[in-house]
Amino acid sequence: MSTDVAEILEKSRELDRLRKEQEDVLLEINKLHKKLQATPEVVEKPNDNSLVKLKSLYIQAKDLSENEVSVSQVLLTQLDALLLSGLPGQQRRRIVSEGNEQKRKRMKNDSDIPRLSPSLRNQLDSCANLKGEQVAARVTAENAEKDEWFVVKVMHFDRETKEFDVLDEEPGDDEEGGVQRKYKLQMSCIIPFPKRNDVSSVPEFLPGRHVLAVYPGTTALYKATVVSTPRKRKSEEYVLEFDDDEEDGALPQRHVPFYKVVPLPDGHRQ
């Protein structure tokens, strides 16, 4: 075996090792994501290092991804050199010229299309998997005086623009002709609902926590305070007190299924 071939095989083994390490790191990231989704309150404990560990895993995944690109480029160079070494001079010069042109095009394309980090790739996959699902959606603009959240159905997710096409399945007012409204929304405007058939993996919001929940008998979501949790009551419902829901000088307690309750977004305006 020639030295050139041996070096190529060595780089190939290095590439395999890097990809295996990336898979292991992504597996650890996903495990930690599930843990934090199931028990978000754990990060508030004094000795918990979940967020520090998650940051370390993200850095490791980024480094491995960059190393994979570097090794792949070296492999391409070695293969080009090996292929050219056995060709006649004139043919070699023509292939070198064509190869350089292809390399320039490849470098231009690489600069035009940013490489996705593993975490962003996972996030985009999760968004694409929401097609056909009902989600919570903020349908008002960023500069609106109040935020309006409704239950909508995801029709499509565009990975390039990172935008959702959603449908408000409730017919509009008579003034709007009673038609269903469609929206094009950014990722930040969408919050997936918990899966109703997978209670064990659903994060539980503790009493006193502010949440966003579907008001009973409507498809609108409003800010509420947790009074009692499903696990404590051994049921599928939270007991909530909605803001601005006063009756006879007191806030009535409403029962809302866990799969219609989501975290309250930062900076919520109501």
Side-chain angles (χ1 to χ4, degrees):
M1 184 186 300
S2 71
T3 304
D4 290 342
V5 173
E7 289 178 354
I8 288 173
L9 292 177
E10 179 62 31
K11 283 295 179 186
S12 298
R13 285 191 287 271
E14 185 178 352
L15 194 60
D16 289 339
R17 178 185 59 78
L18 286 169
R19 286 174 177 167
K20 176 65 170 63
E21 287 184 19
Q22 282 188 78
E23 290 174 3
D24 293 341
V25 171
L26 287 175
L27 188 61
E28 290 299 314
I29 288 175
N30 288 334
K31 284 181 182 177
L32 198 49
H33 281 172
K34 288 181 179 178
K35 175 188 171 184
L36 293 175
Q37 288 170 357
T39 54
E41 67 276 8
V42 74
V43 299
E44 298 175 3
K45 295 181 179 179
N47 298 326
D48 182 74
N49 66 343
S50 300
L51 296 181
V52 174
K53 184 179 178 183
L54 187 60
K55 179 181 178 181
S56 175
L57 288 169
Y58 279 144
I59 292 172
Q60 193 176 350
K62 177 177 175 290
D63 290 342
L64 287 169
S65 179
E66 290 173 350
N67 287 341
E68 180 190 348
V69 173
S70 176
V71 172
S72 298
Q73 289 174 339
V74 171
L75 262 173
L76 284 171
T77 303
Q78 290 176 332
L79 285 168
D80 285 343
L82 186 63
L83 289 170
L84 290 172
S85 62
L87 297 174
Q90 186 175 356
Q91 188 176 359
R92 188 186 306 132
R93 282 192 296 274
R94 186 178 71 250
I95 291 177
V96 168
S97 175
E98 292 173 353
N100 287 339
E101 180 63 27
Q102 290 297 323
K103 185 176 180 181
R104 281 193 293 273
K105 289 180 180 178
R106 188 165 61 240
M107 289 175 67
K108 183 179 185 303
N109 289 336
D110 287 346
S111 64
D112 290 343
I113 305 173
R115 184 177 177 81
L116 297 179
S117 68
S119 58
L120 178 56
R121 191 159 55 236
N122 285 346
Q123 191 177 4
L124 293 178
D125 289 342
S126 297
C127 290
N129 290 336
L130 289 174
K131 183 176 180 179
E133 300 278 342
Q134 285 191 330
V135 298
R138 191 188 76 226
V139 299
T140 43
E142 291 284 351
N143 58 354
E145 185 178 339
K146 293 183 178 181
D147 293 335
E148 291 185 6
W149 288 81
F150 294 110
V151 178
V152 299
K153 182 178 181 180
V154 175
M155 308 305 293
H156 176 69
F157 175 68
D158 190 320
R159 299 174 70 98
E160 296 297 323
T161 63
K162 301 180 179 62
E163 288 181 327
F164 284 92
D165 290 322
V166 301
L167 174 69
D168 184 349
E169 297 179 280
E170 282 289 302
D173 298 332
D174 292 338
E175 296 175 358
E176 299 170 340
V179 297
Q180 296 175 324
R181 288 164 293 183
K182 296 179 180 179
Y183 300 94
K184 189 177 288 288
L185 302 172
Q186 295 291 330
M187 292 167 59
S188 59
C189 297
I190 300 293
I191 304 177
F193 284 118
K195 299 290 185 184
R196 69 170 70 190
N197 58 354
D198 190 10
V199 184
S200 61
S201 67
V202 175
E204 184 171 71
F205 304 112
L206 300 179
R209 176 83 177 266
H210 295 309
V211 295
L212 199 63
V214 178
Y215 191 85
T218 75
T219 58
L221 292 93
Y222 299 98
K223 180 182 177 183
T225 304
V226 176
V227 176
S228 184
T229 67
R231 288 172 192 166
K232 184 177 180 180
R233 302 179 64 250
K234 296 183 179 179
S235 75
E236 290 191 347
E237 294 180 327
Y238 279 96
V239 177
L240 305 175
E241 289 180 348
F242 284 88
D243 286 17
D244 306 322
D245 189 30
E246 191 171 316
E247 288 183 1
D248 300 325
L251 291 176
Q253 296 183 348
R254 311 284 185 184
H255 292 245
V256 180
F258 73 88
Y259 49 83
K260 291 188 177 180
V261 179
V262 297
L264 183 73
D266 291 337
H268 177 72
R269 298 158 297 185
Q270 181 167 309

